[in-house]
Amino acid sequence: MQGDALVINVHNSLDVPTSIHTHGLFNNGTNYYDGPDMVTQCGIPPGENFTYVFETKDQFGTFWVHGHTRHQEADGFHTPLIIHSRKQPVIDYDEELTMTFEDWYTTEFYVRQEYIESLEDARTLVPNYPRALINGYDGNNTAPITFVPKRRYRLRIICMSVNNWFKFRIPGHKMTIIEADGVESMPLEVDGLSMGPGQRYSVIVTAHKSDEFNYLYNVTSYSPVLLRDAGFKPLVYTGLVKYRDGAPVKTIPAPSDEHLVWPEETAMQVADKQTRLPADRRIELTVNKFIDKHHVLLNALSSSLYKPVLVPTLYTALSMGELAKNSSVYGPQTNAYILKHLEVVEIVINNPIGDDHTFHFHGHNVQVIETGPYGNSSTDNRKPVAHQQSELWPMWRDTVQVRAYGFIRVRFRADNPGVWFLHCHLAIHMYNGLAVVFVEAPNVLQQRQSVPEAMVEMCKRQGILTQGNGAGNQGFDLSGLPPAIYLPS
């Protein structure tokens, strides 16, 4: 419930470290519980327990919990997290249901990656295409959704995938969006949802007045990246919307996707009617891609690939005094940006390549201000991204889509001192370095927060340094860090 403290005890039964991230919670005042390994904590060692305490404060809505060490979220380490509101919803409803979508591989993420990197030529790789799980079951094996005539349902839809996008429709039924990523929206009627990894929606669906027929819902799992691979085909599933046992299924003709209404992030408006924040500062990031000599893909949101350093970046921010305000002390591998307390930051993410992305902001929701074309889409025979400005009350969310050959412009207020990850939520892209770190108000952070001793000791038991710059040294001496990997300009 909104305002409650959520206590999660993690016992690590794996043979490698682990950690968890409550995707969408701000962790305001408890940055050390945010979860990403070597950003805000050391992983929980094998065989050990650790207890997280998450203060929900004013947040409510549809979230999820997932691993944030060694990309364990790609191997099934995730679950929904629903925080109920203490106030009336945007639209009243009779009952709620939660649906989850995920892609599923037959081998662990790190096993796949180590195999790819062992190849002399990655082009010889035999592709390993994923299956799709709906509510944890393979495709069409999912249990029916049960509707009672005339009742109004809230469907909470969570895309827990690590590579694939999902489209969801219930032909013969309209959906009205009332929430995205834990933020209430003005009601927006759509025909279906198109969701990238990490995104969530709540929609209201009103059941028909009669139980004469049952219906089918449609789920399509696809990868905008793999669609260019002739061997990969979108996975299309159907599931039963049951009004009555034994009722015939009414088939609804399906128009093509371009004739249906899908949610555009700029078309949604926030329910509390907050207008655009005036920007104090602009940071422009561009997605870069490089194929190395072994034909392995590398990604960056800056000139260098994000790679973990030797000290958790939060611990550096807390231990370096005034030098914490200088991005150099964190190491070039972190792609660190220093933010001033309470400034309004405008982030522009440009994507001049042929891959779609979802980017997740830790510690913040962001206002979606504008999307549009960037780069030359004709090189891939792609339809150009439409240029769209936000409405009067821009939508806030924590995970945004950035289309191939497109850009997005977002804003947020730096009102949550801490070290916050911004990364692509496609596991392969994040693994390949598509991330930056925001070090927000380090001077205020040092006054307000200190890492619990249990977390410091957890690092020491693993031989991980807990003070100093990114290399564990003083000042700007970064000796001992592996060299940063810079992409060709």
Side-chain angles (χ1 to χ4, degrees), residues 92-97 145-155 203-207:
D92 286 329
Y93 54 90
D94 300 301
E95 187 178 344
E96 67 176 58
L97 305 169
I145 298 173
T146 300
F147 278 3
V148 175
K150 302 180 183 179
R151 289 178 69 84
R152 185 180 289 164
Y153 292 87
R154 177 179 187 158
L155 303 185
V203 295
I204 298 295
V205 180
T206 301

Side-chain angles (χ1 to χ4, degrees), residues 91 147 151-155 157 168-178 187-193 202-209 215-217 241 243 252-253 255-257 259-263:
I91 297 176
F147 278 3
R151 289 178 69 84
R152 185 180 289 164
Y153 292 87
R154 177 179 187 158
L155 303 185
I157 316 295
F168 172 67
R169 294 183 58 230
I170 309 179
H173 300 71
K174 283 289 188 180
M175 299 179 181
T176 301
I177 296 174
I178 61 167
L188 178 67
E189 189 174 277
V190 294
D191 293 310
L193 300 176
S202 282
V203 295
I204 298 295
V205 180
T206 301
H208 291 303
K209 296 178 181 179
Y215 296 82
L216 295 176
Y217 66 77
V241 180
Y243 279 77
I252 308 294
S256 59
D257 282 0
H259 294 105
L260 297 171
V261 177
W262 304 91

